[in-house]
Each structure stands twice: as C-alpha cells, then as structure tokens.
Amino acid sequence: MNAALNTGTAQRAASYYSASLNDQTQYPTLQGTVEVDVAIIGGGFTGVASAVELAERGLKVAIVETNRIGWGASGRNGGQVTGSLSGDEAMRKQMRARLGDDVDDFIWHLRFRGHDIIQQRVARYGIDCDLKRGHLHAAMKPSHMAELEGFATEAMLRGMGDQVELLDREGVRRHLDSPLYLGALKNQRNLHLHPLNLCLGEARAAHGLGALIFENSQVLEIIHGPRPAVVTAQGRIEAKQVMLAGDVYHKLEPGQLKGKIFPAMGGIVTTAPLGDLARQLNPHDLAVYDCRFVLDYYRMTADGRLLFGGGANYSGRDSRDIAGELRPCIERTFPALKGVPIEFQWSCAMGIVVNRIPQLGKLSENVWYCQGYSGHGIATSHIMGEIMAEAITGTLEQFDTFAGCSHIRVPMGDLLGNPLLAAGMWYYQMLEKLR
C-alpha cells in the first residue's frame, strides 16, 4: 500500500479561489489514536459531502486530508453545477440490465440531484459561496444545435419547460457580447458558485455536526479487517468503516485501483476586475460552456472578473503557461477583452475514467471507495456522497447499480493510461471536425 501522492503543506494552492476565501479555519494534524464509525480519506467534495450526509444520520465521522480541505480539484474547478453527466450513454447501456426501462428515469434524476443537495445544504447551513442560477450550453456549429434541441425536447417532456429556452444566434447575442455562437440552450436550473467556499462551508457544517477533521495528515496505509484503520505518520483512526475519497490525488491500494483513473490537467485564469464591462459582456450573469469535446467554460466572479478555463491536458502534466494558452481563447470569445490583464492562473487534476462512469466499490468488507467524475465533479460528487452514505448505513440499491458497472483497467497505470487518454481525445477532436 503506497503512500499518497501529495506530500502535504500548510499552504493552499494559489488561485483566485484561495485569494477570496470566506473561511480561514485550519484543522489540526492527526496525532494519536481516535475511534469513529466512519473514517474518510480525502477532504474534497466527495469526502466532505459524504461526511455531512453521515453526520446528519448520527454517525461519528473523521475526515483525514493530506493537504487542506478543498486543496485539490474541489477547490480549483470552474464552479459550474450543470445537468450534464459524463458517461451517461455508457451508464444507460450498462445499467439497463439491472434497471430495465427505469434506466432513463434514473439517469435523468441523477442529472439534477446534485443541484438539489447543494441548494438545500447552502440554505440549511448558511454557506456563503456566491451561489447563482443560469447557464448557457453554447453551439458553435449546426450539429451542436441538434444536440441541444434533443436535450431541450427531453427537458420539456420532463416538466422543465419553464427552465430551458433554445436561443438562436441573435438570442445568444442578447446574453453574451460574443461573435462565436450560432445558438445555445439557456438553462435556469443549472448553477454556478465559488467551489472552495462551498467545500469549506460544508466542512464547517460537518464539523458542527460532530465530525473530526484533520489536515496535513497523509494516509500511509489502510488496514483492512473486521475493525479497519487508517494510519498516518503521527496518528491512527480506528473505524467500523473506511471510505477512500481521494479521487486522482492518491496512490493508495494500487493492487485494486491502479489503472482505473487518470489525471487530466485543466487550466483556469481570472482577469482583473472588469467593472461595467462585465455586465456588458454577460448581462444576465450566466455560466457558459460550449458543445465541443474539448471545450471552453467561463463565468463572471462575484467581484466582476472573467473566470475562464479550457484546453484540458491529457498528458497528466501541468502547462507551463496557462495564461498564454488561454488568452487567445478569451480574446476570440470576447474581442473587447484583447490585452486584458490576467491576475490569477492555476491548474487542477481531474480524475478521468475511460468509460466516464463514476467508480464506486468495495476494497474489502468494510473499506469502500468512490472516485472518477471526469470533469463533472461538483454536482456528481454530491450525488455520490449521498449514495455512499446510504450504502454505508445499509441502503445499497443505488450503490450496487454503480458498483455493478464494468470498468477498463489499463495495464501500467498512468504510464500507459495517460498516453491512451491523450490519443483518445485526439481521436474525438478529429471527429469534432467532422460532425
């Protein structure tokens, strides 16, 4: 059982989000031995959301995090909470044998369950995370519009007619001062927010419910058995159940997990505050992403900056100049921003699964894992947190639906997996040019 990938530090990763925190709480390093019902490895959305769910059910929970709460992709992503599911078609094919004709309803419910959990939690615990409604899924070619029309039709059949609207080119121009798009689907059910403030707010909620939280506490080993435990350099958590929720940021349990999930690096920048120009460019304050396989995504922050991400790097290595790579995309999208100062740039590692279906399972009788959202982590992690809490407390139906899915395991792990992902994305980019 190898040590976790990251070495631990008292500092947060530099980003716009870490520079605009509402909560500076520092949790202690694990020292000595503690006993709980459930030990959770990983202080991102999966671990924290699961902790809230379990603590609300009356269980004593401990979170142990190598770095700081929200240190990884949970605190560095684009901040969009959308009804898109990576891997929905693969889910439909694999889950049909178990769910039958109910599979379509199951997947549709998943699309928006995360939204409901987040909104309810923000309201219940008073979490200040700049939560806003409204999103555009933008088309750059006619084939994209056909895709959006299909989703809009299903949304209307499912009672969302008052929340979605198809826009033509002129309709988009009333929402965005950009020449790029020939149409879009406007969705008022989708959300956008400050993800690090949400994650920290949920951690505070879990702590208020009695959860123990330990930062700068790298897990060195998971001990299996009737009474499992997690071991760090200075401490140990003994538990009835252990949940591994580290996504792509750990190398624990390679015997069962190596070769199942791979890092893709996403780059994000924020501009200097734009003042009145922010409302001119995006008067309805919507989050946006386009329909391409490798897409751009952006929104305005609470203080009027453009936050812009794109160009995922499937080599698993960070870009040396994120701002240099994204500036042409920004200026193509918004010509009025030519030469705009970029004040923050950062990257995050997204956990990519080959078939894009989130991976839920058990490593032994009392040790569970949950990982792999393939770039759709905010909503999906909250859905999975609810499913994992249900499973750990004895309701296994939804867990078994996911755990029963087959996944490709790539030999040699990242060494072969990331080149295969890069080749796969090149293939899909070539298809993009043809559709």
Side-chain angles (χ1 to χ4, degrees):
M1 300 176 190
N2 295 346
L5 179 63
N6 300 305
T7 58
T9 173
Q11 302 300 315
R12 295 198 177 280
S15 71
Y16 167 75
Y17 295 131
S18 59
S20 54
L21 292 182
N22 293 328
D23 187 343
Q24 298 287 351
T25 302
Q26 295 191 41
Y27 296 98
T29 299
L30 174 63
Q31 295 181 321
T33 300
V34 299
E35 295 186 14
V36 297
D37 295 313
V38 184
I40 298 174
I41 302 169
F45 276 133
T46 301
V48 171
S50 298
V52 174
E53 296 279 356
L54 290 164
E56 288 177 340
R57 289 164 167 80
L59 275 68
K60 186 174 182 180
V61 181
I63 300 172
V64 59
E65 162 59 38
T66 297
N67 296 288
R68 304 290 303 279
I69 295 297
W71 184 89
S74 296
R76 303 191 219 175
N77 58 70
Q80 299 194 23
V81 184
T82 69
S84 56
L85 287 174
S86 189
D88 53 350
E89 287 307 313
M91 287 183 209
R92 187 172 282 107
K93 290 177 182 177
Q94 292 210 36
M95 293 176 179
R96 187 172 294 281
R98 181 181 181 87
L99 300 177
D101 291 339
D102 292 336
V103 68
D104 293 325
D105 292 339
F106 178 79
I107 290 173
W108 185 264
H109 171 76
L110 285 179
R111 290 187 183 280
F112 296 103
R113 178 59 189 152
H115 300 54
D116 296 338
I117 294 169
I118 290 167
Q119 290 177 101
Q120 290 163 9
R121 194 161 293 161
V122 166
R124 181 180 301 130
Y125 296 107
I127 300 172
D128 182 4
C129 60
D130 306 331
L131 180 63
K132 303 173 185 176
R133 284 183 176 273
H135 176 260
L136 287 185
H137 195 181
M140 302 179 76
K141 56 173 65 175
S143 60
H144 294 166
M145 281 304 297
E147 172 188 334
L148 298 181
E149 288 164 1
F151 186 90
T153 298
E154 184 174 9
M156 291 175 185
L157 290 173
R158 290 182 177 273
M160 281 182 58
D162 61 336
Q163 295 177 300
V164 298
E165 178 186 3
L166 277 171
L167 305 175
D168 60 13
R169 185 184 295 274
E170 289 307 310
V172 175
R173 290 303 296 264
R174 291 193 294 271
H175 291 79
L176 293 174
D177 187 11
S178 172
L180 277 188
Y181 310 115
L182 59 85
L185 179 68
K186 182 179 180 181
N187 188 323
Q188 288 296 117
R189 190 166 182 179
N190 286 342
L191 312 170
H192 51 110
L193 48 77
H194 189 302
L196 183 53
N197 277 333
L198 174 61
C199 194
L200 293 171
E202 290 184 284
R204 178 177 287 274
H207 191 255
L209 292 167
L212 305 174
I213 300 177
F214 302 103
E215 295 180 315
N216 300 310
S217 301
Q218 181 182 16
V219 172
L220 304 176
E221 183 180 10
I222 300 173
I223 296 176
H224 298 258
R227 183 72 177 184
V230 298
V231 180
T232 69
Q234 301 180 57
R236 176 187 179 105
I237 303 174
E238 297 183 349
K240 298 173 183 175
Q241 309 277 347
V242 170
M243 176 180 164
L244 179 51
D247 202 64
V248 78
Y249 285 91
H250 73 88
K251 295 297 180 184
L252 292 163
E253 301 294 327
Q256 295 190 64
L257 296 181
K258 184 177 181 180
K260 296 186 74 172
I261 183 173
F262 306 95
M265 307 307 295
I268 301 178
V269 301
T270 54
T271 67
L274 300 177
D276 292 340
L277 185 56
R279 183 158 293 278
Q280 176 185 320
L281 296 176
N282 188 348
H284 299 274
D285 199 9
L286 302 172
V288 183
Y289 62 68
D290 64 62
C291 293
R292 294 174 298 169
F293 289 117
V294 180
L295 51 83
D296 292 334
Y297 51 92
Y298 53 89
R299 62 189 183 85
M300 295 297 176
T301 64
D303 58 350
R305 304 168 186 268
L306 177 68
L307 184 149
F308 194 103
N313 173 0
Y314 289 85
S315 72
R317 297 186 296 270
D318 270 321
S319 166
R320 294 183 179 181
D321 183 10
I322 298 166
E325 291 177 2
L326 291 182
R327 178 179 290 282
C329 304
I330 292 171
E331 295 180 352
R332 182 173 65 248
T333 305
F334 295 114
L337 293 183
K338 186 173 179 61
V340 66
I342 292 175
E343 293 194 350
F344 295 93
Q345 59 176 314
W346 69 93
S347 66
C348 68
M350 299 173 284
I352 306 297
V353 175
V354 173
N355 65 10
R356 300 303 200 264
I357 302 174
Q359 296 173 346
L360 282 64
K362 298 183 77 171
L363 299 167
S364 60
E365 182 60 30
N366 298 314
V367 179
W368 313 69
Y369 70 92
C370 180
Q371 62 184 24
Y373 311 133
S374 302
H376 297 259
I378 302 181
T380 309
S381 60
H382 286 79
I383 298 165
M384 297 304 144
E386 182 177 65
I387 291 173
M388 293 303 296
E390 289 177 349
I392 289 170
T393 55
T395 303
L396 291 163
E397 183 178 358
Q398 293 190 81
F399 172 86
D400 286 344
T401 298
F402 278 93
C405 292
S406 300
H407 290 278
I408 297 169
R409 189 170 182 184
V410 179
M412 301 171 64
D414 295 355
L415 188 64
L416 181 58
N418 279 107
L420 285 176
L421 281 180
M425 290 313 298
W426 176 85
Y427 170 75
Y428 280 116
Q429 285 177 285
M430 293 302 100
L431 286 183
E432 177 71 52
K433 295 180 180 180
L434 300 176
R435 70 170 181 150

